[in-house]
Amino acid sequence: MKRNLYIWIVAVLLIGFALAQNAGDGIAAVFKQEEPLPTETGPRAGLLAPGFSLTAMDGKTYNVGGTKDKAIFVNFWASWCEPCKQEAPELNSLAAKYKDKLDVYGVNVTSYDKLKDAKAFVDEYKLTFPILLDEDGATYAKYNGVAFPTNVLIDANGVIQEVILGILPEEELERKIKAVIKR
C-alpha cells in the first residue's frame, strides 16, 4: 500500500515536471509582476501620453490619454507637407489592417494649415480614419511638435512607446505598430 502511494507521488511529480518543461515559461509568467506604469506625463517615450480631446471632421469628439481598449497611433500633419502626402496612403492601409487592435487618429494642425486645404487632402487621399482638428495648435504644442509629420505610438496603457519625426518605410512603421499592439 505504501509502495503504491510512493509510485503515485513519483508519477505525479514526473508528469508535473514534464508539463512544466513543455510549457516553457508559462508557469514562470504567472508569477511575473507587471512593470508599474509611469506617473509622469510628457511628450516622449516611456511617459504617459498628454491627454487631449479634439473634434474631428466627422463632428465627433475623440479623446487620447489614459488606458484604452486599443493602442493608439496619432499622426500630426498639414496638407502642404510633402512627406505627409507620401505617407497618407500607407496610414490608410495600416489603419484598415489593424482597425481591431489600433485606433489611428490624423490630427490636422489647422493653426499651420487651412481647413479647406485639409478637407481637400482628406478627400484626395480618401482617408478613412478620424481626422481631428487642432485649430489652435495647443495639442501639437503638448507633444513638442517641431516637424510634419510627427507620429506618436501609444500603447493601450496610455504610455508613449515612440515618437517618430518624419516618415518611415511602410514595413518599418508596421513593425513598430505590431510591437505596440503586443504590449
Side-chain angles (χ1 to χ4, degrees):
M1 180 85 161
K2 232 180 185 182
R3 184 173 161 250
N4 287 345
L5 182 61
Y6 289 134
I7 290 172
W8 266 111
I9 291 172
V10 169
V12 169
L13 288 172
L14 288 174
I15 290 170
F17 181 76
L19 289 173
Q21 291 297 319
N22 289 333
D25 67 346
I27 292 174
V30 171
F31 297 104
K32 285 184 184 175
Q33 291 185 344
E34 299 242 347
E35 285 184 36
L37 289 177
T39 55
E40 186 181 349
T41 300
R44 67 176 194 271
L47 299 180
L48 292 170
F52 65 87
S53 180
L54 291 172
T55 303
M57 288 185 179
D58 64 8
K60 296 179 186 173
T61 299
Y62 294 87
N63 300 301
V64 170
T67 303
K68 303 285 185 189
D69 292 337
K70 302 178 190 178
I72 297 175
F73 182 95
V74 180
N75 167 252
F76 292 99
W77 62 278
S79 64
W80 47 262
C81 158
E82 287 303 319
C84 299
K85 294 174 185 178
Q86 284 180 275
E87 82 172 350
E90 294 170 9
L91 294 182
N92 220 21
S93 171
L94 291 168
K97 185 173 184 177
Y98 294 103
K99 68 181 179 214
D100 295 332
K101 298 177 183 176
L102 180 74
D103 283 331
V104 175
Y105 299 129
V107 178
N108 175 260
V109 186
T110 319
S111 59
Y112 288 93
D113 207 347
K114 293 184 176 114
L115 184 57
K116 69 177 180 63
D117 293 340
K119 287 180 178 179
F121 183 99
V122 170
D123 290 343
E124 179 179 347
Y125 293 99
K126 298 174 179 52
L127 300 180
T128 57
F129 50 89
I131 304 300
L132 289 57
L133 301 173
D134 184 12
E135 296 183 56
D136 61 3
T139 301
Y140 187 56
K142 278 186 180 183
Y143 282 81
N144 289 344
V146 295
F148 293 118
T150 294
N151 294 313
V152 184
L153 286 162
I154 305 167
D155 69 19
N157 290 317
V159 179
I160 295 176
Q161 295 302 309
E162 190 157 0
V163 177
I164 304 162
L165 301 178
I167 60 174
L168 295 174
E170 187 172 4
E171 304 78 35
E172 188 176 346
L173 183 57
E174 186 168 14
R175 183 179 53 76
K176 290 177 182 290
I177 287 171
K178 285 179 182 178
V180 169
I181 289 171
K182 288 180 183 177
R183 292 188 133 276

